[in-house]
Amino acid sequence: MEKRNLTVVREFVLLGLPSSAEQQHLLSVLFLCMYLATTLGNMLIIVTIGFDSRLHSPMYFFLSNLAFVDICFTSTTVPQMVVNILTGTKTISFAGCLSQLFFFVTFVNMDSLLLCVMAYDRYVAICHPLHYTATMNLCLCVQLMAGLWLVTYLHALLHTVLTARLSFCASNIIHHFFCDLNPLLQLSCSDVSFNVMIIFAVGGLLAITPLVCILISYGIIFSTVLKITSTQGKQRAVSTCSCHLSVVVVFYGTAIAVYFSPSSSHTPESDTVSTVMYSVVAPMLNPFIYTIRNRDMKKGLQKMLFKCTVFQRNNDLSD
């Protein structure tokens, strides 16, 4: 009799960011601007790297892939949130929620693993410069990217399937701006102990292992940089690494705060703010970090803009 009285949840209500009704519209404009800045900035990185042959190296190959992943990453959550605020519709179907969860887990893991691969690339370039070309060849780079996509796809599929098997028969209100794992597990009326174990086991492996590899890589890099006698060489190595390290700190610091802190410390407000930092703010900052502080990217961007200006002037003169 109890089972007949249970109401099966077929859709969820996304409450969005904690704010008043008046602030919601301001937030929608803010996040729309951030999304456009993220998309245009990362597209500019991809186009610049493809345009300038001097940037056809492993480092910029991975950077262009990171830019593509960041566009997909923010596209998974931000457009839906902005539409919900503007239309006043906060519901999302069960299937739509699972789809959003799948793509979010895929791209958040791709960001994490790509940062690890980029750290390894810097390690080889600085610590073993004579073997860099032979080690980081095109074949290896393509194989690494294919492996990353396979691992992230399987990991996202695992979480999506496990979540789909849960029963949601009580509240359908998600205190978040998208369908994330923790809020969904909190709503389930099933036993979620296995899901939690998978998050800490498999998810922890995919999050902590890359971070450990990054820390080891940079530990070796900094010890090598200290041995460089040339001041210019030290400055170039540090400037290259500082861009990457800035992104790592923002991304990993906030992601670990959400997924690997004790459940007693979780509040909807703190989780939402932390998630915004690594899923919206970090992808938006990446183009600024890598273009403003990277000399090669600045030269490539200036070269592309100059040629575009000359091409436009020639067209105007011909008309």
Side-chain angles (χ1 to χ4, degrees):
M1 290 296 293
E2 290 182 359
K3 290 184 178 179
R4 292 180 182 177
N5 293 330
L6 292 177
T7 302
V8 179
V9 173
R10 300 187 182 278
E11 65 179 15
F12 295 98
V13 177
L14 299 170
L15 290 186
L17 298 171
S19 59
S20 63
E22 293 78 12
Q23 292 174 330
Q24 286 283 320
H25 293 287
L26 293 176
L27 286 174
S28 67
V29 174
L30 174 63
F31 276 89
L32 180 60
C33 293
M34 292 172 69
Y35 175 70
L36 292 175
T38 302
T39 304
L40 295 175
N42 283 290
M43 284 183 64
L44 189 61
I45 286 179
I46 296 172
V47 172
T48 302
I49 292 173
F51 180 83
D52 194 344
S53 59
R54 295 175 302 177
L55 300 178
H56 294 174
S57 65
M59 173 184 172
Y60 295 106
F61 171 78
F62 293 123
L63 178 57
S64 62
N65 277 275
L66 180 66
F68 171 75
V69 170
D70 281 341
I71 293 173
C72 298
F73 192 12
T74 52
S75 298
T76 303
T77 57
V78 177
Q80 177 76 44
M81 180 189 67
V82 173
V83 169
N84 288 350
I85 294 175
L86 295 178
T87 61
T89 305
K90 296 185 177 182
T91 58
I92 184 172
S93 65
F94 185 77
C97 190
L98 290 180
S99 299
Q100 192 177 56
L101 173 65
F102 172 81
F103 287 111
F104 181 83
V105 175
T106 298
F107 295 125
V108 73
N109 280 310
M110 274 301 297
D111 250 17
S112 172
L113 294 173
L114 265 172
L115 290 174
C116 177
V117 171
M118 292 172 74
Y120 174 72
D121 173 76
R122 291 299 83 203
Y123 158 74
V124 177
I126 295 174
C127 301
H128 304 283
L130 299 179
H131 302 284
Y132 179 72
T133 305
T135 303
M136 301 301 296
N137 55 72
L138 179 60
C139 181
L140 177 63
C141 293
V142 172
Q143 289 175 348
L144 284 172
M145 286 307 305
L148 296 188
W149 280 112
L150 178 62
V151 169
T152 53
Y153 171 82
L154 293 176
H155 181 234
L157 185 63
L158 172 64
H159 282 298
T160 306
V161 171
L162 290 177
T163 305
R165 297 178 63 184
L166 297 176
S167 297
F168 297 90
C169 49
S171 173
N172 67 336
I173 298 176
I174 298 177
H175 295 270
H176 218 315
F177 63 93
F178 71 99
C179 293
D180 199 6
L181 272 174
N182 283 330
L184 285 173
L185 295 182
Q186 291 170 4
L187 289 181
S188 177
C189 51
S190 303
D191 182 12
V192 298
S193 57
F194 183 71
N195 296 65
V196 173
M197 183 188 70
I198 291 297
I199 290 177
F200 278 90
V202 182
L205 184 67
L206 284 178
I208 302 301
T209 302
L211 180 59
V212 171
C213 292
I214 290 171
L215 294 175
I216 293 174
S217 297
Y218 275 107
I220 301 173
I221 287 172
F222 287 140
S223 65
T224 303
V225 169
L226 292 175
K227 299 175 183 177
I228 299 176
T229 56
S230 170
T231 304
Q232 186 177 1
K234 284 185 178 180
Q235 291 177 346
R236 183 175 178 81
V238 170
S239 64
T240 304
C241 297
S242 63
C243 297
H244 184 253
L245 276 176
S246 302
V247 176
V248 168
V249 170
V250 174
F251 179 82
Y252 274 102
T254 51
I256 290 174
V258 173
Y259 294 103
F260 298 101
S261 59
S263 57
S264 58
S265 65
H266 284 273
T267 63
E269 292 78 13
S270 63
D271 282 358
T272 301
V273 171
S274 297
T275 305
V276 167
M277 286 298 295
Y278 78 82
S279 66
V280 181
V281 176
M284 182 189 69
L285 292 178
N286 288 354
F288 296 100
I289 293 173
Y290 281 107
T291 54
I292 294 175
R293 303 182 65 179
N294 188 299
R295 186 182 304 172
D296 294 334
M297 279 296 299
K298 283 195 290 187
K299 288 182 178 179
L301 183 60
Q302 291 170 354
K303 178 181 177 182
M304 183 183 70
L305 293 176
F306 175 75
K307 287 194 174 182
C308 288
T309 303
V310 171
F311 179 77
Q312 184 63 40
R313 286 178 180 175
N314 291 336
N315 282 344
D316 293 340
L317 290 174
S318 62
D319 293 340

